[in-house]
Amino acid sequence: MEIKTALYLIPVNISNAPINDTLPAGNLDILRQLHHLIVENVRTARRFLKRCDPAFDISAVTFYELNRHTDLSQVGAYLEPLRRGEPMGVMSEAGCPAVADPGSLPVSIAQREGLRVIPLVGPSSILMALMASGFNGQGFSFNGYLPIDGKEREKRLRELENLSRKHDMTQIFIETPYRNNRMVSCLASVLHPDTMVCVACDITDPEKEVIKTLPASRWKNNKQDFDKRPAIFLIYCGKSMKG
Amino acid sequence: MEIKTALYLIPVNISNAPINDTLPAGNLDILRQLHHLIVENVRTARRFLKRCDPAFDISAVTFYELNRHTDLSQVGAYLEPLRRGEPMGVMSEAGCPAVADPGSLPVSIAQREGLRVIPLVGPSSILMALMASGFNGQGFSFNGYLPIDGKEREKRLRELENLSRKHDMTQIFIETPYRNNRMVSCLASVLHPDTMVCVACDITDPEKEVIKTLPASRWKNNKQDFDKRPAIFLIYCGKSMKG
């Protein structure tokens, strides 16, 4: 079946789990019909396509790179095939494009020009961490990275703790993976001992996944090594904690 | 293959799209091994299972209902099978459990008792709306429902607009579906004309999906009818709007 002319947002696996365990089969049917893909990195994009289907005809695909080295004024031109009526795709390095990555620029250009955008289903470590944390999923914020500097970071953490308490919202953030263990120590020492902290690491990985919620105080003696592993941090001290 | 003893968080389709287009095949393999399911509504849960697989053996499943009529002090007892070592599942009415629904209570109990929680991949209208909006995905808040009252609602909308501008964050919220059209008019009249508004409706539906981003002012002449359709609203007036 021929697919609609649109900018398809194509999630990528976030672990070594079998592709069929974390991506709908329908995504591949769409992917096979896209000959223009905006990706963060061509090499890993090719690897993903081959992993989805070893027989994937990569030679038929034109790649357009979008990452921090890209001249952003060029991104509008990437969408030429779409303007001509050819479907295109946006892929990120891992997870859902345009969430916590630079992929939202081509999407906003497409929206501005009235071009259709179709998001596909796939793993989002932010959302899956939220689901499994046990924290409030009816109000939450994703805050990206926190400041690296000690004082600034402490201040920001206390701010997020206050926001969680005041507005009953789960506060979510990420860290550069080699600093994960330092983040855990920092959370244990800076936050109120009863504030709940969830660390979600290697989500969807059948062997390595860890998603653990404990009061801040109990992370002090953390023995788990999160170093260089993809992780999401969540804190919560809202209403449902008191119930 | 036998699955791990855990509380599995099982997403449910959010439209009439074929199951294989929005849920990974692996979810069904897990679902078939669960004989204890916490659900919002038994009737729709059965229907979902039959839709996944007409041969699904529903008679082997015990259902535990969790919705606004449930005595919440009973929910801890639901997890008895899990404590004995049997895997269990949590399903919502649509989308990802424990996000914008009551499913987070059994999850938080499981976490408190050190029972394993495993989230599965599936459609989240909040996340998919964010992806397709073109708005900032590196900082965002989901705010649930806004106040219904006119004055209160206006105040809250201006608050969200300010938060978006000040912290460069996408602000996401929902509405009772029969009030969707009124919400669109309200956004068009209350927000700054240049604040961007995305309405995402019937996400994943192959025929009816609409995901449209326009400046608030351009929603004034909206002809699209969103009445009684599942919708997500997003507003943004942060940094990337100026670029």
Side-chain angles (χ1 to χ4, degrees):
Chain A
M1 199 183 68
E2 207 177 310
I3 61 172
K4 295 187 181 87
T5 297
L7 185 62
Y8 288 88
L9 309 182
I10 300 165
V12 167
N13 57 308
I14 57 176
S15 74
N16 283 321
I19 290 287
N20 288 336
D21 286 357
T22 63
L23 290 167
N27 289 19
L28 187 55
D29 299 335
I30 289 170
L31 209 39
R32 282 207 189 88
Q33 296 187 55
L34 301 178
H35 300 128
H36 301 275
L37 292 177
I38 300 173
V39 303
E40 259 188 87
N41 177 300
V42 174
R43 202 170 51 96
T44 55
R46 281 174 201 269
R47 200 189 301 148
F48 170 70
L49 296 175
K50 281 290 180 197
R51 195 154 166 231
C52 286
D53 176 7
F56 199 100
D57 183 9
I58 292 178
S59 67
V61 178
T62 306
F63 293 97
Y64 306 79
E65 242 176 5
L66 172 58
N67 52 43
R68 59 198 166 134
H69 306 296
T70 305
D71 174 359
L72 296 182
S73 67
Q74 299 304 304
V75 175
Y78 287 180
L79 297 179
E80 271 310 321
L82 182 60
R83 294 184 188 106
R84 288 196 306 264
E86 292 183 63
M88 293 187 71
V90 180
M91 275 164 48
S92 92
E93 279 294 277
C96 292
V99 179
D101 81 4
S104 66
L105 181 57
V107 179
S108 70
I109 297 171
Q111 285 282 10
R112 195 160 55 213
E113 299 181 18
L115 300 164
R116 187 163 184 168
V117 178
I118 300 182
L120 303 185
V121 173
S124 157
S125 52
I126 297 169
L127 195 94
M128 295 174 83
L130 175 67
M131 289 162 69
S133 66
F135 296 164
N136 189 11
Q138 313 201 35
F140 58 88
S141 289
F142 174 67
N143 304 282
Y145 293 92
L146 307 191
I148 297 169
D149 171 64
K151 279 277 155 60
E152 284 298 304
R153 167 169 292 198
E154 274 190 36
K155 197 183 138 205
R156 181 77 176 123
L157 276 174
R158 286 189 221 280
E159 228 171 68
L160 294 179
E161 200 174 31
N162 283 333
L163 286 170
S164 177
R165 188 177 299 114
K166 196 172 156 199
H167 301 293
D168 191 29
M169 283 173 91
T170 303
Q171 298 293 337
I172 311 171
F173 45 92
I174 48 178
E175 178 54 293
T176 312
Y178 76 87
R179 288 200 202 98
N180 282 341
N181 286 334
R182 256 176 289 173
M183 175 62 89
V184 174
S185 315
C186 178
L187 295 172
S189 66
V190 171
L191 298 173
H192 186 285
D194 296 338
T195 291
M196 299 303 286
V197 173
C198 179
V199 184
C201 191
D202 284 313
I203 295 171
T204 75
D205 191 293
E207 306 301 328
K208 297 185 280 177
E209 180 179 85
V210 175
I211 307 178
K212 215 160 103 178
T213 295
L214 291 169
S217 57
R218 289 196 45 208
W219 282 104
K220 273 205 180 97
N221 309 312
N222 172 50
K223 298 278 183 293
Q224 209 114 36
D225 187 9
F226 297 114
D227 191 40
K228 291 176 192 146
R229 299 167 63 184
I232 304 281
F233 298 89
L234 308 91
I235 67 173
Y236 181 64
C237 52
K239 272 194 295 196
S240 9
M241 239 63 258
K242 294 161 201 155
Chain B
M1 200 183 69
E2 208 177 310
I3 61 172
K4 295 186 181 89
T5 297
L7 185 62
Y8 288 87
L9 308 181
I10 300 165
V12 168
N13 56 308
I14 56 176
S15 76
N16 283 321
I19 291 288
N20 287 336
D21 285 357
T22 64
L23 290 166
N27 289 18
L28 188 55
D29 300 334
I30 289 171
L31 209 39
R32 282 206 190 88
Q33 296 188 55
L34 301 177
H35 301 127
H36 301 275
L37 291 178
I38 300 172
V39 303
E40 260 188 85
N41 178 299
V42 173
R43 201 170 53 93
T44 55
R46 281 175 201 269
R47 200 189 302 148
F48 170 70
L49 297 175
K50 281 290 181 198
R51 195 155 165 228
C52 286
D53 175 8
F56 199 100
D57 183 9
I58 291 177
S59 67
V61 178
T62 306
F63 293 96
Y64 306 79
E65 242 176 6
L66 172 58
N67 53 44
R68 59 197 167 135
H69 306 295
T70 306
D71 174 359
L72 296 182
S73 67
Q74 300 303 305
V75 176
Y78 288 179
L79 297 179
E80 271 310 321
L82 183 60
R83 294 185 188 104
R84 288 195 306 263
E86 292 183 64
M88 293 186 72
V90 180
M91 274 164 48
S92 92
E93 279 293 276
C96 293
V99 178
D101 80 6
S104 66
L105 180 57
V107 179
S108 71
I109 297 170
Q111 285 283 8
R112 195 160 56 213
E113 300 180 18
L115 299 165
R116 187 163 184 169
V117 178
I118 300 182
L120 302 186
V121 173
S124 157
S125 52
I126 297 168
L127 196 93
M128 295 174 83
L130 175 68
M131 288 163 69
S133 66
F135 296 165
N136 189 12
Q138 313 201 35
F140 58 89
S141 289
F142 174 67
N143 304 282
Y145 293 92
L146 306 192
I148 297 169
D149 171 65
K151 279 276 154 61
E152 284 297 304
R153 167 168 292 197
E154 274 191 35
K155 197 182 138 204
R156 181 78 177 122
L157 276 174
R158 285 189 221 280
E159 229 171 67
L160 294 178
E161 199 173 31
N162 283 332
L163 286 170
S164 177
R165 189 176 298 113
K166 196 173 156 200
H167 301 293
D168 192 29
M169 282 171 92
T170 303
Q171 298 294 337
I172 311 170
F173 45 92
I174 47 179
E175 179 54 293
T176 312
Y178 75 87
R179 288 201 202 97
N180 282 342
N181 285 335
R182 257 175 289 172
M183 174 62 89
V184 174
S185 314
C186 178
L187 294 172
S189 67
V190 171
L191 298 173
H192 187 286
D194 296 338
T195 291
M196 298 303 285
V197 173
C198 179
V199 183
C201 191
D202 284 312
I203 295 172
T204 75
D205 190 293
E207 305 301 328
K208 297 185 279 176
E209 180 179 85
V210 175
I211 308 179
K212 214 159 102 177
T213 295
L214 291 170
S217 58
R218 289 195 45 207
W219 282 104
K220 273 205 181 97
N221 309 312
N222 172 50
K223 299 278 183 293
Q224 209 114 36
D225 187 8
F226 298 114
D227 190 40
K228 292 177 190 143
R229 299 167 64 183
I232 304 280
F233 298 88
L234 307 91
I235 66 173
Y236 181 65
C237 52
K239 270 194 296 196
S240 10
M241 239 62 258
K242 293 161 202 155

